[in-house]
Amino acid sequence: MWSCSLDHPYRLIFEPAIKPIPKNKHGTPILTEIKIVEIIEIVDYH
């Protein structure tokens, strides 16, 4: 899962909608290959 800041204090939580997540030979996700995400929640962390 990843998150990003929205208008304070909200954060958007999302994850790739494709499984398995494309990874390079080192196991790092290839972000440019992820075209569709699933929004998990928008949350106020404070």
Side-chain angles (χ1 to χ4, degrees):
M1 286 187 192
W2 289 289
S3 68
C4 64
S5 295
L6 300 174
D7 285 334
H8 184 73
Y10 298 104
R11 295 195 52 86
L12 174 68
I13 313 299
F14 60 96
E15 66 182 6
I18 57 172
K19 305 289 191 251
I21 298 169
K23 295 181 180 181
N24 65 18
K25 64 181 179 180
H26 303 290
T28 304
I30 304 171
L31 300 180
T32 56
E33 295 292 318
I34 299 170
K35 307 294 185 199
I36 302 171
V37 297
E38 179 179 349
I39 296 173
I40 305 301
E41 66 180 330
I42 297 174
V43 65
D44 176 353
Y45 271 95
H46 295 93

